[in-house]
Amino acid sequence: MPSTGNKPLIRYYLDYDPKEEAPEKTYQINTPNGREYIGVRISHGESIEELMHETYEGLEEVNGAGVNPWNGVQRFRELRAVIKGKPRGYFDEIVLSDYPTNADKTDANYVELRCKIITHLSDHPYPGDKIHVYIMGGVKYNYCKMEDGRLEKPNTALAHLKHLRKLGSEMHQNQGAQYMTDDQLTKAFWNM
């Protein structure tokens, strides 16, 4: 990676296009205010960010919007319904070996399963550690440019850092219970 001094030149963009039309599963949610329809993007595993942001968070939105939240078994079933390709293969393999019975399919194990799928898709046993090093390495703000060449606004650059922190915290990592403190994130922002 090219660098100036000790600051790497990092340009961050999502590795998928959130505006691009993609197949999704639509859920009908009965809320106290009536019916609501929420779409969850089906992931094929080409993008870990898409899997986490559109699929995982989409399922959490659906689960939180309804009157009756899903139990662990239902969460496992719904996750399997919105992943295809490599993630589906890893899902089946992990569930068969680690969570074979309905008693094993708890909410805590669901969160663990999501991390395991991401670890299988990445090239590192602790992908969250790589993101931590990436953020703390000192992004040079002058090189955080938009596609048309203009510099990103500071609040947009901070939003990118927060998004990366969230991604890293949801992956397997050795950073402890608190993945990155607010002080560390502020330091990373001010070191840009």
Side-chain angles (χ1 to χ4, degrees), residues 85-104:
K86 283 184 184 179
R88 169 77 70 86
Y90 295 142
F91 174 93
D92 292 339
E93 178 185 315
I94 294 165
V95 169
L96 187 62
S97 66
D98 296 350
Y99 317 110
T101 66
N102 282 349
D104 295 326

Side-chain angles (χ1 to χ4, degrees), residues 7 9 14 21 32-34 39 41 49-50 64-65 71 73 94 109 113 117 121 134 142 145 155 165 169 179 181 190:
K7 293 188 177 220
L9 307 182
L14 291 173
E21 287 293 319
N33 301 329
R41 185 179 265 202
E49 285 183 284
E50 176 189 33
N71 63 24
V73 174
I94 294 165
N109 286 344
L113 170 68
I117 291 171
L121 288 170
Y134 177 86
N142 293 337
K145 294 184 179 179
N155 59 350
R165 175 175 70 172
S169 68
Y179 177 71
T181 65
W190 285 109

Side-chain angles (χ1 to χ4, degrees), residues 69-156:
W70 297 333
N71 63 24
V73 174
Q74 206 170 356
R75 292 177 89 181
F76 273 70
R77 188 176 351 167
E78 294 303 330
L79 176 58
R80 188 175 192 281
V82 294
I83 56 177
K84 306 285 184 224
K86 283 184 184 179
R88 169 77 70 86
Y90 295 142
F91 174 93
D92 292 339
E93 178 185 315
I94 294 165
V95 169
L96 187 62
S97 66
D98 296 350
Y99 317 110
T101 66
N102 282 349
D104 295 326
K105 296 176 181 170
T106 63
D107 288 338
N109 286 344
Y110 170 77
V111 172
E112 187 176 297
L113 170 68
R114 293 181 347 168
C115 286
K116 287 181 179 182
I117 291 171
I118 291 165
T119 301
H120 274 74
L121 288 170
S122 71
D123 63 347
H124 195 273
Y126 296 103
D129 290 351
K130 291 178 82 172
I131 291 178
H132 194 278
V133 169
Y134 177 86
I135 293 171
M136 297 308 294
V139 179
K140 181 115 173 93
Y141 180 69
N142 293 337
Y143 294 93
C144 291
K145 294 184 179 179
M146 294 184 273
E147 290 178 6
D148 63 0
R150 294 179 295 139
L151 292 177
E152 294 278 6
K153 296 176 183 169
N155 59 350
T156 305

Side-chain angles (χ1 to χ4, degrees), residues 136 165 178 180-191:
M136 297 308 294
R165 175 175 70 172
Q178 187 168 12
M180 180 180 291
T181 65
D182 288 338
D183 289 341
Q184 287 176 314
L185 185 70
T186 302
K187 180 181 177 190
F189 179 72
W190 285 109
N191 283 338

